Amino acid sequence: MVSTPGAEPRRITINDVARSAGVSRQTVSRALNDKGEIDGDTKQRVLDAARALGYRPSRFARGLVRQDTMTIGLVIPDLLNPFFTEVAAGALEAARSRGWHVVVYATADRADEERDTLQVITSQVDAVIGYFSCSESELESYTRGMPVVLIGREGRSTRFSSIRIDGEQGVRAAVAHLVAEGHNRIGMLDHRTRAEPSIRHDWFTAAAREHGIDAGLVVDADQTADGGGTALRTLLAARPEVTAVFTFNDIIAVGALREARRLGRSVPRDLAVIGFDGLQLGALVEPPLSSVALDTRKLGALAIEQLARLLSGLGTSEADDLIVHAELHLSGSA
Amino acid sequence: MVSTPGAEPRRITINDVARSAGVSRQTVSRALNDKGEIDGDTKQRVLDAARALGYRPSRFARGLVRQDTMTIGLVIPDLLNPFFTEVAAGALEAARSRGWHVVVYATADRADEERDTLQVITSQVDAVIGYFSCSESELESYTRGMPVVLIGREGRSTRFSSIRIDGEQGVRAAVAHLVAEGHNRIGMLDHRTRAEPSIRHDWFTAAAREHGIDAGLVVDADQTADGGGTALRTLLAARPEVTAVFTFNDIIAVGALREARRLGRSVPRDLAVIGFDGLQLGALVEPPLSSVALDTRKLGALAIEQLARLLSGLGTSEADDLIVHAELHLSGSA
DNA sequence: AGCGCTCCCGTGAACGTTCACGGGAGCGCT
DNA sequence: AGCGCTCCCGTGAACGTTCACGGGAGCGCT
């Protein structure tokens, strides 16, 4: 047998093992899957042959015939942002308890990567959980009827199920706390998704107006610690009278904390800071971060649960939307 | 047509769509995969039928016939530990650029979960990258000839390829720096893997002996911030004369930093701290963490590269072992 | 009219595995 | 001897898709 140069090697199949061991493919299958109805010596001979040939079963052929494996795609912008990894941890745990597999895709928070991911994901998984920035119609055109659960975003059509984060009361409590502490110049470091202010910004505005204070002290920030620092500097340069900030999330808040220190502002004495998310990270910085906190692990787990509901054919309705509540947790920074 | 109660619904296949649209399965395939050789009206009719029936192609059947998708399993102990997510981020990025898919498994640092994962992973992926704590023989019995790349661990047999972290020089530099700063009671907060002291501990011991200082001031710590805090308290309670600590990793160091503050010890004045890993997290705490730093993203990317080499049939040898060097990066904490 | 070409569409085969079923060999019991 | 049972093992079919190939219809040109 001469190997043709450049020809890719043919895959070793169960039939090759069967031939090598002098048995049928069914006997090979029995040996490899620890089924009964096989002689001990035969089994060993088959196993040896399989090892010698470097045989590895095709998961596609196996999956085709026994339709029991469930694989879901988890799409998140960034693995370096603890919020998403905490959510992912919750989702992975919930998936594991169901025996589901999770393929993780990181989109680097870029629209083109998100599209690439959506393009490819549909042929790789049975359902999708994700944090998407593209429009619902675009999402629909890629997922084409595949079950999808959106995280932290309102599903406007009934096409998608979603897990919503309700922080309205929490943000109101945060602003009320700051006002009670004597602050009346409260800024916000927002994060714009899809070129529009966030819902968290809406909550902040409403709460500020309730207390009759200026709701316009808002600066947009990148979703990183550096972004938070830069945004705080910008805000304080323009409006030095600000004595407290509420931030879109904890990452931004931590960056603001660091920047305040660099600017010589003591937290919370000279500047109070309240974040959003309640990440574990907040307990590691100095002072510990006050935050409108939610259960990130539960968020991920709920998404998996909702997916299970969808897959069992219950469909989705407005009432199906699940909610995670975020509440004010006070620590050292405010 | 009466649906039998309890009978699971038969999967909708390409043939159902073909029948519904009044065409052959090949025409359906053409419509769905945007191939040519199909009339515009026909294509639309097929697409409508597919949508109406809720048809979704079987990835197994598709994968079986066109053998082009590559899926690798990434096994890490914990998604909540930034070290692993940074490595995972590097691996995901490298995999994406090759068009590979990555299934992530978190083992919660428990031996039984790790075994479960290994059990299940072999039928789900084409190759494995991971941070394992079980023995190589055990690993071999599960992976059975599948390509495996170990991260941050010496492969003792030639069966596995590995990406090693070389921090010997970095740790020596760290100890030298501390000694130069006048410290001669330097402790270590170690993390025991598989019930034996770590290699990092060996490096520390060697470096301490070079300077003729006590290398026995070692306490074992859990791989968490809380674990680091507890370990520091234990160490200082027993040996209050300690003025500097080197830690197994940055997470432990960050916990130690926080605990030092609680104990009223100013860092670095009363206690110098040097971690290991060089995580982004280190730049967020106060004071910023000095660390024997390595390129975690590169670590993940190298693992994927090594896997590519294995899969192209080059096999593995001792010389194939890839190395990431860790070097001392000084910041505020030492 | 005949030829070639383009545009569509369909049929058999193949991918690699497990399932369902059949059946032979050997043994013990009546 | 005949029967039933257990222990093994093998063959056809099926899973659901894409590939390779064949071929009809229609049109333009000579």
Side-chain angles (χ1 to χ4, degrees):
Chain A
M1 192 158 65
V2 180
S3 72
T4 318
E8 57 192 65
R10 198 177 54 78
R11 184 190 180 95
I12 294 170
T13 74
I14 199 172
N15 287 308
D16 298 320
V17 179
R19 207 173 308 123
S20 165
V23 295
S24 74
R25 45 172 215 285
Q26 181 60 19
T27 299
V28 176
S29 177
R30 276 191 269 256
L32 268 75
N33 295 308
D34 263 327
K35 294 280 177 76
E37 306 194 11
I38 185 171
D39 181 74
D41 291 344
T42 310
K43 182 170 177 176
Q44 193 54 53
R45 203 170 68 242
V46 170
L47 259 33
D48 290 344
R51 176 180 299 249
L53 292 174
Y55 168 72
R56 283 183 299 125
S58 154
R59 68 174 187 282
F60 293 115
R62 187 174 273 175
L64 185 58
V65 61
R66 47 181 210 212
Q67 336 236 20
D68 53 356
T69 50
M70 182 73 180
T71 303
I72 72 154
L74 174 63
V75 180
I76 56 179
D78 186 7
L79 264 178
L80 301 180
N81 181 331
F83 171 72
F84 296 115
T85 56
E86 288 190 13
V87 173
L92 280 184
E93 198 173 7
R96 170 185 281 271
S97 73
R98 290 176 182 274
W100 293 359
H101 301 266
V102 178
V103 187
V104 177
Y105 300 86
T107 60
D109 218 354
R110 283 168 44 189
D112 57 333
E113 298 268 17
E114 190 173 310
R115 259 183 284 269
D116 282 356
T117 299
L118 281 167
Q119 186 93 40
V120 89
I121 205 172
T122 52
S123 61
Q124 289 296 318
V125 301
D126 301 304
V128 174
I129 289 178
Y131 200 94
F132 297 97
S133 64
C134 69
S135 71
E136 290 197 8
S137 62
E138 202 167 9
L139 209 50
E140 167 58 17
S141 78
Y142 285 113
T143 55
R144 285 215 172 269
M146 178 179 290
V148 177
V149 174
L150 303 177
I151 294 178
R153 166 174 173 181
E154 317 270 334
R156 282 171 196 165
S157 73
T158 55
R159 165 65 182 84
F160 301 108
S161 199
S162 59
I163 311 294
R164 277 175 32 232
I165 297 170
D166 180 9
E168 188 169 6
Q169 294 304 323
V171 172
R172 180 177 290 147
V175 171
H177 170 77
L178 291 173
V179 169
E181 293 284 313
H183 300 281
N184 53 18
R185 294 284 187 272
I186 304 176
M188 175 172 180
L189 309 184
D190 192 22
H191 174 66
R192 292 174 178 266
T193 48
R194 288 161 297 157
E196 64 186 43
S198 65
I199 298 177
R200 297 177 194 180
H201 176 260
D202 295 342
W203 293 335
F204 171 73
T205 303
R209 288 201 180 130
E210 279 178 23
H211 291 279
I213 62 174
D214 186 356
L217 308 171
V218 180
V219 172
D220 188 39
D222 279 348
Q223 205 172 171
T224 62
D226 286 344
T230 304
L232 180 68
R233 194 154 7 118
T234 304
L235 176 65
L236 291 183
R239 309 296 293 264
E241 71 273 23
V242 165
T243 59
V245 289
F246 167 65
T247 69
F248 177 83
N249 66 17
D250 282 358
I251 297 292
I252 291 172
V254 165
L257 229 54
R258 186 176 53 174
E259 189 65 23
R261 201 157 42 222
R262 288 174 180 164
L263 293 171
R265 291 224 190 189
S266 167
V267 176
R269 192 166 49 87
D270 304 332
L271 184 78
V273 177
I274 297 183
F276 194 105
D277 282 345
L279 302 184
Q280 295 182 353
L281 169 63
L284 302 179
V285 296
E286 172 62 21
L289 186 64
S290 295
S291 187
V292 179
L294 57 101
D295 189 338
T296 49
R297 314 282 293 275
K298 187 180 166 197
L299 185 58
L302 278 182
I304 294 281
E305 272 178 40
Q306 179 68 354
L307 210 49
R309 203 172 308 183
L310 251 55
L311 286 163
S312 67
L314 277 75
T316 174
S317 73
E318 305 237 354
D320 269 340
D321 280 11
L322 297 172
I323 296 179
V324 173
H325 290 279
E327 295 169 2
L328 180 62
H329 284 200
L330 289 175
S331 238
S333 71
Chain B
M1 192 155 68
V2 180
S3 72
T4 317
E8 58 192 66
R10 197 179 55 79
R11 183 190 181 97
I12 293 170
T13 74
I14 201 172
N15 287 308
D16 298 319
V17 179
R19 208 173 308 122
S20 166
V23 295
S24 73
R25 46 174 213 285
Q26 181 61 18
T27 298
V28 176
S29 177
R30 277 191 268 257
L32 269 75
N33 294 309
D34 262 326
K35 294 281 179 74
E37 307 195 10
I38 184 170
D39 180 74
D41 291 343
T42 309
K43 181 171 179 175
Q44 193 54 53
R45 203 169 70 242
V46 170
L47 258 32
D48 290 344
R51 177 181 300 248
L53 292 174
Y55 168 72
R56 284 183 296 123
S58 154
R59 68 173 187 282
F60 294 117
R62 187 172 273 176
L64 185 57
V65 61
R66 47 181 208 209
Q67 335 235 21
D68 53 356
T69 50
M70 183 73 183
T71 303
I72 72 153
L74 174 64
V75 181
I76 55 179
D78 187 7
L79 264 179
L80 300 180
N81 181 332
F83 172 71
F84 296 116
T85 57
E86 289 190 12
V87 172
L92 279 184
E93 199 173 8
R96 169 185 282 271
S97 73
R98 290 176 182 274
W100 293 0
H101 300 267
V102 179
V103 187
V104 177
Y105 300 86
T107 60
D109 218 354
R110 281 168 45 191
D112 56 335
E113 298 269 15
E114 190 173 309
R115 259 183 284 268
D116 283 355
T117 298
L118 281 167
Q119 187 93 39
V120 89
I121 206 173
T122 51
S123 61
Q124 290 295 319
V125 301
D126 301 304
V128 173
I129 288 178
Y131 200 95
F132 296 97
S133 63
C134 69
S135 71
E136 291 197 9
S137 62
E138 202 167 8
L139 209 49
E140 166 58 17
S141 77
Y142 285 114
T143 55
R144 283 214 173 270
M146 179 179 291
V148 176
V149 173
L150 304 177
I151 293 178
R153 167 173 173 181
E154 318 270 335
R156 283 172 196 164
S157 74
T158 55
R159 164 66 181 85
F160 302 108
S161 200
S162 58
I163 311 293
R164 275 172 36 228
I165 296 170
D166 180 9
E168 188 169 7
Q169 295 303 324
V171 172
R172 180 177 291 147
V175 172
H177 170 76
L178 291 173
V179 169
E181 292 285 310
H183 299 281
N184 53 18
R185 293 284 188 275
I186 305 175
M188 175 173 181
L189 310 183
D190 192 23
H191 174 65
R192 294 175 176 266
T193 47
R194 289 162 295 157
E196 62 187 45
S198 65
I199 299 178
R200 297 177 194 180
H201 176 259
D202 295 341
W203 294 334
F204 171 74
T205 303
R209 288 201 180 128
E210 278 178 23
H211 291 279
I213 61 175
D214 186 356
L217 307 171
V218 180
V219 172
D220 188 39
D222 279 349
Q223 206 173 169
T224 62
D226 286 344
T230 304
L232 180 68
R233 193 153 10 115
T234 304
L235 176 64
L236 291 182
R239 310 295 294 264
E241 71 274 22
V242 165
T243 59
V245 287
F246 167 66
T247 68
F248 177 83
N249 67 16
D250 282 359
I251 298 291
I252 291 173
V254 166
L257 230 53
R258 185 176 54 175
E259 189 65 23
R261 200 157 43 222
R262 288 176 181 163
L263 293 172
R265 290 225 192 187
S266 167
V267 176
R269 194 168 47 88
D270 302 334
L271 185 76
V273 177
I274 297 183
F276 194 106
D277 281 346
L279 303 184
Q280 295 182 354
L281 169 63
L284 302 178
V285 297
E286 173 62 23
L289 187 63
S290 295
S291 186
V292 179
L294 56 102
D295 189 339
T296 49
R297 315 283 293 276
K298 187 180 166 195
L299 184 60
L302 277 182
I304 295 282
E305 272 178 40
Q306 179 69 353
L307 210 49
R309 203 171 308 183
L310 252 54
L311 287 163
S312 66
L314 278 74
T316 176
S317 73
E318 305 238 353
D320 269 341
D321 280 11
L322 296 173
I323 296 179
V324 173
H325 289 280
E327 294 168 1
L328 180 62
H329 284 199
L330 288 176
S331 238
S333 71

